[in-house]
Amino acid sequence: MSEAQPETFDLTSRYEGDDPKIKALWKEIYGVIDPEIGLPLVDLGLIYDVRFDEETKKAHVVMTLTSIGCPAGPYLQTEVYNACKRVEGVEEAQAEIVFSPPWNPREMASEEVQMMLGIF
């Protein structure tokens, strides 16, 4: 389930480029919430990379899950795919799940999420 994206979403910690399509993709993906934890996948550090091929009009997202056996995996993959497809000009999307590097919230989650999860 996706939620409305905040107007002030700051993606500088995830993407430093200036491609408006990639920025729009990141912003839309930010609305994808982990149903078990209740926080955005982006803030959890589960989105590793977002690319867009202007020629093929295809978005490609590299993401991971909190664990290999995560029961929400197919749901989250579909939600990221759907988020990409909502961006104007995206005709196709792929949400690729990888497990290397393994997710580590101490290194990958935002400071706010670390505090919420009790990680210091």
Side-chain angles (χ1 to χ4, degrees):
M1 174 165 73
S2 295
E3 295 181 358
Q5 293 74 30
E7 292 297 320
T8 59
F9 170 57
D10 178 20
L11 72 114
T12 55
S13 66
R14 302 288 178 195
Y15 176 68
E16 296 179 0
D18 60 357
D19 185 312
K21 188 70 70 188
I22 293 177
K23 286 181 177 183
L25 285 161
W26 273 105
K27 187 173 181 181
E28 194 65 38
I29 293 166
Y30 189 81
V32 179
I33 306 299
D34 183 295
E36 296 175 320
I37 301 174
L39 297 169
L41 299 187
V42 171
D43 285 348
L44 287 166
L46 296 172
I47 305 298
Y48 289 167
D49 190 30
V50 176
R51 290 177 252 141
F52 180 72
D53 185 318
E54 190 65 48
E55 187 176 309
T56 62
K57 307 294 185 209
K58 182 176 183 177
H60 182 243
V61 177
V62 178
M63 61 183 286
T64 195
L65 304 171
T66 56
S67 68
I68 289 176
C70 176
Y75 167 79
L76 293 172
Q77 189 175 27
T78 299
E79 287 299 299
V80 169
Y81 170 87
N82 290 337
C84 291
K85 293 283 287 183
R86 284 191 293 272
V87 174
E88 186 176 338
V90 174
E91 295 178 8
E92 187 52 61
Q94 177 185 13
E96 176 186 7
I97 296 177
V98 300
F99 293 103
S100 180
W103 180 65
N104 181 343
R106 292 185 190 281
E107 296 175 9
M108 298 172 173
S110 68
E111 288 183 23
E112 294 83 11
V113 168
Q114 289 179 15
M115 293 295 288
M116 293 173 89
L117 297 176
I119 300 170
F120 305 103

